[in-house]
Amino acid sequence: MNWNEKLFNENEKPLDNLVTGYSHTSVFRKIAFIGDSLSSGEFETCDKEGNKAYHDLYEYSWGQYIARKNGLTAFNFSRGGMTASEYIESFGEENDFFNKDKACQAYVIALGANDVNSGIEIGTVKDINKDDYTKNNKTFIGYYGAIISRYKEISPDAKFFFVTFANDGTRAVNPNAELFYNELYNMAKFFENSYVIDLYKYGPPYDEQFKKQFYLHGHLNPSGYILTAELIDSYIDYIVRNNPDDFKNAGFINSGINYKF
């Protein structure tokens, strides 16, 4: 085996290699997945009259697939229909997600689908007050930044992964989606220990063939959530392998051990 090609291929792009077995996501033993329906394993039903219903089945979420494969603990801090504003204004507190006893080593945030369609102003990182999240402007990015700040309070050294929209055509028809996409990269620069999982650029197109195989009405089917787990897991694996200095102390996060000498 050529180990340089396996581990240190400078020409490798995210998702060139879908991992099998343990991935480098396993450097984290506790991960929280923050998001809406697609983070919650939501299945959609539709009766003969066209009436739809939505069901969060968390054991089918891509976060739980990642956890089972890698032998780690995953928390679904998510719910179908979730927006960043609801999360920070009520949902997170009501569910005790900001309790230090629930602090994780990494947080994967996949919000935005409901926000960009809600009419809320997207905003920029200028809407974020790093010293006091309560002073953030009431834009989507302001709320999103407040969520990050809240989790940094209980887990200061945690790593954060911001998930873009998939390549499903949303950016082409919704200018808010384009603004959000660009601002995710700015947030990864604004907050330390933060990275972008760019499924739009590197993931598969959600075209007719994709939806025929991986969709159930307007949401994913079980195989769709498994594929998403493979994509997210492989992307985090890529980030960890390509930023070794950033993750060499991951095992100390929230351990109580002083490793910063």
Side-chain angles (χ1 to χ4, degrees), residues 200-221:
Y200 179 86
K201 185 175 182 179
Y202 297 107
Y206 282 30
D207 54 19
E208 183 177 349
Q209 180 181 355
F210 182 95
K211 291 184 177 180
K212 182 178 180 180
Q213 184 161 348
F214 295 113
Y215 265 59
L216 177 63
H217 306 297
H219 286 76
L220 296 174
N221 63 24

Side-chain angles (χ1 to χ4, degrees), residues 162-254:
F162 309 144
V163 183
T164 71
F165 291 142
N167 185 5
D168 60 359
T170 301
R171 284 180 64 194
V173 299
N174 190 329
N176 279 344
E178 179 70 18
L179 293 172
F180 168 52
Y181 177 85
N182 293 327
E183 212 57 36
L184 273 188
Y185 277 93
N186 291 331
M187 279 200 290
K189 296 176 183 177
F190 186 81
F191 287 105
E192 64 180 356
N193 293 322
S194 297
Y195 310 84
V196 175
I197 295 176
D198 195 336
L199 297 183
Y200 179 86
K201 185 175 182 179
Y202 297 107
Y206 282 30
D207 54 19
E208 183 177 349
Q209 180 181 355
F210 182 95
K211 291 184 177 180
K212 182 178 180 180
Q213 184 161 348
F214 295 113
Y215 265 59
L216 177 63
H217 306 297
H219 286 76
L220 296 174
N221 63 24
S223 292
Y225 286 114
I226 291 173
L227 175 62
T228 304
E230 292 178 321
L231 297 175
I232 300 290
D233 189 24
S234 298
Y235 211 121
I236 295 175
D237 174 90
Y238 169 86
I239 291 172
V240 173
R241 286 188 292 104
N242 283 273
N243 298 276
D245 286 344
D246 291 2
F247 295 94
K248 62 186 179 183
N249 289 314
F252 292 121
I253 298 174
N254 297 333

Side-chain angles (χ1 to χ4, degrees), residues 83-85 111-113 115-116 118 120-124 127 137-147 165 176 180 184 187:
T83 63
S85 59
L111 285 166
D115 305 82
V116 299
S118 70
I120 188 173
E121 180 184 352
I122 299 301
T124 72
D127 295 319
N137 290 336
K138 297 185 181 301
T139 64
F140 171 50
I141 297 301
Y143 290 122
Y144 197 114
I147 294 170
F165 291 142
N176 279 344
F180 168 52
L184 273 188
M187 279 200 290

Side-chain angles (χ1 to χ4, degrees), residues 3-233:
W3 286 103
N4 283 335
E5 289 185 1
K6 172 67 176 176
L7 297 176
F8 311 111
N9 185 351
E10 63 181 12
N11 296 316
E12 181 187 7
K13 298 291 189 298
L15 303 183
D16 276 355
N17 300 296
L18 294 185
V19 294
T20 57
Y22 280 117
S23 77
H24 286 81
T25 305
S26 300
V27 301
F28 308 113
R29 308 314 299 152
K30 292 176 68 175
I31 303 181
F33 296 93
I34 298 162
D36 48 37
S37 59
L38 294 180
S39 298
S40 305
E42 183 167 290
F43 294 134
E44 181 179 329
T45 59
C46 185
D47 65 20
K48 294 180 180 179
E49 285 72 43
N51 300 308
K52 296 182 178 181
Y54 306 92
H55 313 273
D56 288 346
L57 300 180
Y58 292 106
E59 65 268 32
Y60 281 97
S61 69
W62 44 265
Q64 294 301 329
Y65 279 117
I66 291 172
R68 289 191 290 267
K69 195 200 79 169
N70 287 300
L72 55 84
T73 299
F75 298 96
N76 288 101
F77 293 168
S78 62
R79 195 201 67 206
M82 187 53 54
T83 63
S85 59
E86 182 182 358
Y87 198 101
I88 196 64
E89 290 182 342
S90 59
F91 182 70
E93 201 70 61
E94 289 171 356
N95 289 279
D96 204 29
F97 291 155
F98 304 124
N99 187 326
K100 192 170 180 59
D101 291 338
K102 297 181 180 180
C104 292
Q105 294 169 299
Y107 295 86
V108 181
I109 305 180
L111 285 166
N114 298 303
D115 305 82
V116 299
N117 293 314
S118 70
I120 188 173
E121 180 184 352
I122 299 301
T124 72
V125 294
K126 293 180 180 178
D127 295 319
I128 301 172
N129 186 317
K130 262 189 178 180
D131 298 322
D132 185 352
Y133 71 89
T134 65
K135 295 180 180 178
N136 288 9
N137 290 336
K138 297 185 181 301
T139 64
F140 171 50
I141 297 301
Y143 290 122
Y144 197 114
I147 294 170
I148 299 166
S149 295
R150 285 300 308 268
Y151 283 116
K152 279 184 173 290
E153 286 181 344
I154 65 171
S155 188
D157 298 326
K159 307 297 183 180
F160 288 80
F161 301 92
F162 309 144
V163 183
T164 71
F165 291 142
N167 185 5
D168 60 359
T170 301
R171 284 180 64 194
V173 299
N174 190 329
N176 279 344
E178 179 70 18
L179 293 172
F180 168 52
Y181 177 85
N182 293 327
E183 212 57 36
L184 273 188
Y185 277 93
N186 291 331
M187 279 200 290
K189 296 176 183 177
F190 186 81
F191 287 105
E192 64 180 356
N193 293 322
S194 297
Y195 310 84
V196 175
I197 295 176
D198 195 336
L199 297 183
Y200 179 86
K201 185 175 182 179
Y202 297 107
Y206 282 30
D207 54 19
E208 183 177 349
Q209 180 181 355
F210 182 95
K211 291 184 177 180
K212 182 178 180 180
Q213 184 161 348
F214 295 113
Y215 265 59
L216 177 63
H217 306 297
H219 286 76
L220 296 174
N221 63 24
S223 292
Y225 286 114
I226 291 173
L227 175 62
T228 304
E230 292 178 321
L231 297 175
I232 300 290
D233 189 24

